[in-house]
Amino acid sequence: MSKVLWHITMSVDGFIAGPDDSMDWVISEWSDDGRTTRDIDVGRSSLADEVLQSAGAILGGRRWYEIAERLYDGVDGIYGGDWQAPVFVLTHGRPSDTGDDTVTFVSTPLAEAVATARAAANGKNVVIFGANVAQQCLREGLLDEIVIHLAPVLLGDGIRLFGVSDGQRVALRRTTLAASGQITDLRFTVRR
């Protein structure tokens, strides 16, 4: 059965995006100082490559989509341009003119959106992009795994990996710990 997993790169101080949604530090870590998402080489980490090969669909939030479109080559920049499968964006309303028919905008409850992405993944995994959708999936018990590539950088500010106001604790079990160059790969299953 397919899994739903959150796949992210994180700074040592717990940020998955820097101030003003900057991701230049991620591009730099994954591309030997490249400048665009097209410079990312996902083959440098066996875990990143495994996630890419096992994935059949991506589900992200509207904020993630708009930032990706504005700053990072949109869906064409996913995994350094290597992504060739469905992308779903959970939103309250479809943007008026995206000019992008490779993205499906869904305005259903989260569980239905995950089910739609799972069906499109055709037995492969669904990868969650964006902190908000991932945190919602955690709260609703829809997330199976978290894959973190820990980058050796301190950002000091930005979007935290996880921050909820209710103080709800989420128990995880580490299943992978590996190193790839300066990146530390971590994989966790979500305990239920």
Side-chain angles (χ1 to χ4, degrees):
M1 172 140 179
S2 70
K3 296 177 182 176
V4 177
L5 58 97
W6 187 11
H7 187 212
I8 39 103
T9 299
M10 181 178 75
S11 68
V12 171
D13 54 347
F15 295 101
I16 60 173
D20 299 321
D21 301 305
S22 71
M23 298 296 291
D24 55 335
W25 59 279
V26 172
I27 295 166
S28 176
E29 290 296 331
W30 284 98
S31 66
D32 294 326
D33 296 323
R35 301 285 180 235
T36 72
T37 56
R38 299 288 184 154
D39 297 327
I40 292 174
D41 180 7
V42 295
R44 292 179 60 198
S45 165
S46 61
L47 183 55
D49 192 46
E50 178 188 327
V51 169
L52 176 60
Q53 298 307 316
S54 68
I58 288 173
L59 173 63
R62 175 77 176 264
R63 185 171 184 278
W64 162 79
Y65 173 77
E66 288 177 351
I67 291 166
E69 283 294 306
R70 190 181 72 219
L71 301 174
Y72 304 109
D73 296 332
V75 297
D76 292 336
I78 295 174
Y79 293 119
D82 289 341
W83 184 254
Q84 302 298 320
V87 175
F88 296 89
V89 175
L90 184 61
T91 182
H92 294 291
R94 180 183 171 84
S96 58
D97 180 29
T98 65
D100 190 349
D101 58 359
T102 64
V103 176
T104 302
F105 294 89
V106 291
S107 298
T108 61
L110 180 62
E112 289 179 36
V114 169
T116 298
R118 239 183 229 241
N122 200 23
K124 292 181 119 184
N125 294 334
V126 174
V127 178
I128 303 297
F129 277 10
N132 189 301
V133 170
Q135 290 178 26
Q136 288 179 57
C137 285
L138 271 170
R139 278 193 298 275
E140 293 192 27
L142 299 170
L143 197 68
D144 299 305
E145 294 184 346
I146 302 172
V147 176
I148 299 171
H149 304 290
L150 188 63
V153 62
L154 297 168
L155 298 178
D157 194 13
I159 305 297
R160 287 222 169 265
L161 170 73
F162 187 71
V164 293
S165 59
D166 64 5
Q168 178 185 2
R169 190 177 82 172
V170 177
L172 306 172
R173 184 175 64 82
R174 190 185 71 221
T175 58
T176 302
L177 171 61
S180 182
Q182 289 293 306
I183 301 289
T184 302
D185 292 326
L186 302 163
R187 184 178 215 147
F188 301 93
T189 56
V190 178
R191 290 185 174 178
R192 293 194 169 85

